[in-house]
Amino acid sequence: MFYVNDQFYTIEDIENQYEIYDSLPQLKECNNLRIAICTDDTFQYITLCLYIRQKGGSVVPIHVATPKEGAIRFASSAGSHLLLFRSINCFIELSNHFNNQEGVLVQMSSGTTGAPKCIERTWSSVEEEIASYVKALPVDSMTHSIVACPVTHSYGLICGVLACIRRGAIPVIITNSNPKYVLKKLKEHPKHILYAAPALLYTLSQLLPVNQQFDRVMTSGTVMPQNWLTSLREKSNQVLQQYGCSESGCVAIHPNVEAAQEMGYPLSHLKVTAGDKQTPSEIIIESSTQTIYTKDLGYIENNVLSFLARMDDTINVAGLNVYPQEVENVLMDYPKVIEAVVYKKQNSLAGERVCVQYVAIEPIEENELREWCQQFLAPHQIPMEFTFVHEIEKLPNGKISRKQLGGILV
């Protein structure tokens, strides 16, 4: 059982939908097929995922906003046999190659350090993640998961929806992105854990009525600015954070995060290694079937995994490492700055240098920002270049590619 916005779907609704799928030859024998799905019917999408998983087939989720030709191109590149576009009455045949592999869920890497790539995860590995996730999540079966993020991504689908169903609770999937609507649904379900991206969580915290409080919120995907986290903690009974990657899904959960870089305790089915606080190193994840080199820089202290930066995003200034998040937190504390992103540029003579784009109501004098930074940062951490923008460019998944922002500093 689950909600999609205001519509409640029962087990009977799901069983009736399964009967429809059983009547379609493209789906009834889908155990050897890879099926791409691009539909704005969220009920249909969720039930298709459940049905195809049960049959042993493979699913390639495609974001609902993708146009037809783009969906065909994406589905083909992922090795799909069929594309369901918008409706179960529209199956597009893409390939008839033989496939006898175990069913998989195809997810895309974030693309923050280059072109996104297809990641295949077997349903058995997804089941292992869900079991471990539910065991670690400090909520009971009476706590609804309010999923205000795309269910075409593993964060929304696996952690938000499938894990909620596993623990016997009811997912509430929200496709209406209006913050006031999200707040209305939270009020209707007072015992909740809200799954959303950091930017939406912060926006909701600013719009939250004085007499209303979040029950629990979960953040993931990118490190939240510390002042956003502080605001969220003031308006929530509990703020949780999770860390993961496309290859393994969720890796760690923090049950009550106070410092934004703290990702939490590794899940029981994984072995996670990193450096210590003095000498951070690459976060490495080991499962029963693979070793994943994340290219994330972090450390483990008291069994809590902390994330510092993507290794590619770390800025080496004359042999000294600068972690963008540390500089961003200082800039975000300046009253006039609304948002900031720190990245590196190459200087032909001096090597890597720290640069920043910031959003504010109006441009701020560079000396004013520099003087603020000097109060909190070492000289090598202070940006060489401050750029005012009306909006910081983001990828379709809401993340920022620091690599794309970089260039040559003249």
Side-chain angles (χ1 to χ4, degrees), residues 44 65 93 96 103 133 151 157 172-173 204 231 246 265 269-270 280 290 308 316 318 350 361 363 372 402:
Q44 186 180 90
E93 185 171 338
N96 60 4
Y133 186 88
V151 290
L157 177 62
V172 181
I173 304 165
L204 293 172
S231 172
S246 302
Y265 300 89
H269 70 295
L270 300 171
Q290 62 178 331
L308 291 175
N316 186 313
I361 296 174
W372 172 261
R402 301 177 202 273

Side-chain angles (χ1 to χ4, degrees), residues 348-410:
S348 57
L349 298 176
E352 296 177 357
R353 287 294 178 262
V354 181
C355 299
V356 63
Q357 283 188 9
Y358 69 92
V359 177
I361 296 174
E362 59 184 10
I364 305 168
E365 288 291 333
E366 184 170 314
N367 285 342
E368 188 178 339
L369 287 173
R370 195 176 300 280
E371 287 173 7
W372 172 261
C373 290
Q374 286 171 348
Q375 297 179 58
F376 306 97
L377 298 172
H380 68 279
Q381 296 176 297
I382 298 173
M384 295 286 291
E385 181 179 275
F386 295 85
T387 304
F388 166 77
V389 294
H390 294 286
E391 182 180 2
I392 293 170
E393 185 178 351
K394 296 179 176 66
L395 298 170
N397 60 13
K399 295 183 180 181
I400 295 169
S401 174
R402 301 177 202 273
K403 185 177 181 180
Q404 290 183 8
L405 294 176
I408 303 297
L409 185 65
V410 295

Side-chain angles (χ1 to χ4, degrees), residues 60 63 94 100 128 138 143 166 181 233 242 247 319 404:
V60 182
H63 193 278
L94 301 173
N100 63 352
E128 185 179 36
T143 303
R166 171 66 67 87
Y181 179 79
R233 282 176 55 83
Q242 66 181 65
E247 292 86 349
Q404 290 183 8

Side-chain angles (χ1 to χ4, degrees), residues 153-400:
H153 187 272
S154 60
Y155 178 49
L157 177 62
I158 298 174
C159 302
V161 176
L162 299 183
C164 182
I165 293 171
R166 171 66 67 87
R167 60 184 173 83
I170 299 175
V172 181
I173 304 165
I174 296 179
T175 62
N176 183 340
S177 58
N178 186 323
K180 291 184 178 179
Y181 179 79
V182 179
L183 291 175
K184 171 177 169 287
K185 301 310 292 183
L186 293 173
K187 193 170 184 179
E188 291 175 6
H189 303 281
K191 195 171 175 60
H192 62 256
I193 177 169
L194 170 62
Y195 285 79
L200 178 57
L201 291 175
Y202 178 68
T203 299
L204 293 172
S205 74
Q206 299 306 292
L207 296 174
L208 195 69
V210 176
N211 61 347
Q212 190 175 342
Q213 187 88 350
F214 297 120
D215 184 16
R216 296 175 174 90
V217 299
M218 176 70 82
T219 179
S220 183
T222 185
V223 179
M224 180 177 287
Q226 188 64 41
N227 64 341
W228 288 13
L229 177 59
T230 300
S231 172
L232 198 58
R233 282 176 55 83
E234 291 172 353
K235 300 178 181 181
S236 308
N237 295 329
Q238 192 173 4
V239 178
L240 300 92
Q241 180 158 245
Q242 66 181 65
Y243 165 83
C245 63
S246 302
E247 292 86 349
S248 66
C250 182
V251 171
I253 296 176
H254 200 300
N256 189 21
V257 61
E258 296 182 5
Q261 78 274 8
E262 293 183 350
M263 298 294 113
Y265 300 89
L267 298 187
S268 58
H269 70 295
L270 300 171
K271 178 183 177 183
V272 181
T273 56
D276 55 40
K277 198 167 185 178
Q278 286 67 43
T279 54
S281 63
E282 183 175 13
I283 300 171
I284 300 173
I285 303 162
E286 294 180 60
S287 70
S288 58
T289 58
Q290 62 178 331
T291 299
I292 302 163
Y293 296 88
T294 65
K295 296 185 179 178
D296 287 342
L297 192 66
Y299 63 88
I300 296 176
E301 186 175 60
N302 299 323
N303 203 34
V304 173
L305 174 67
S306 288
F307 167 87
L308 291 175
R310 292 288 295 175
M311 293 172 70
D312 290 344
D313 291 337
T314 302
I315 307 168
N316 186 313
V317 179
L320 299 171
N321 284 342
V322 176
Y323 306 121
Q325 188 71 31
E326 293 181 355
V327 183
E328 288 167 4
N329 282 335
V330 168
L331 286 162
M332 291 281 286
D333 281 340
Y334 193 60
K336 296 181 182 179
V337 174
I338 298 170
E339 189 177 4
V341 58
V342 169
Y343 53 95
K344 61 186 171 186
K345 282 190 175 182
Q346 295 288 339
N347 182 287
S348 57
L349 298 176
E352 296 177 357
R353 287 294 178 262
V354 181
C355 299
V356 63
Q357 283 188 9
Y358 69 92
V359 177
I361 296 174
E362 59 184 10
I364 305 168
E365 288 291 333
E366 184 170 314
N367 285 342
E368 188 178 339
L369 287 173
R370 195 176 300 280
E371 287 173 7
W372 172 261
C373 290
Q374 286 171 348
Q375 297 179 58
F376 306 97
L377 298 172
H380 68 279
Q381 296 176 297
I382 298 173
M384 295 286 291
E385 181 179 275
F386 295 85
T387 304
F388 166 77
V389 294
H390 294 286
E391 182 180 2
I392 293 170
E393 185 178 351
K394 296 179 176 66
L395 298 170
N397 60 13
K399 295 183 180 181
I400 295 169

Side-chain angles (χ1 to χ4, degrees), residues 109-157:
S109 63
S110 64
T112 53
T113 59
K117 61 181 184 295
C118 288
I119 305 294
E120 297 180 1
R121 296 193 59 206
T122 63
W123 289 117
S124 58
S125 74
V126 171
E127 286 295 314
E128 185 179 36
E129 176 196 353
I130 291 172
S132 186
Y133 186 88
V134 169
K135 181 180 176 182
L137 194 67
V139 298
D140 58 28
S141 61
M142 301 301 293
T143 303
H144 296 291
S145 288
I146 311 292
V147 186
C149 54
V151 290
T152 49
H153 187 272
S154 60
Y155 178 49
L157 177 62

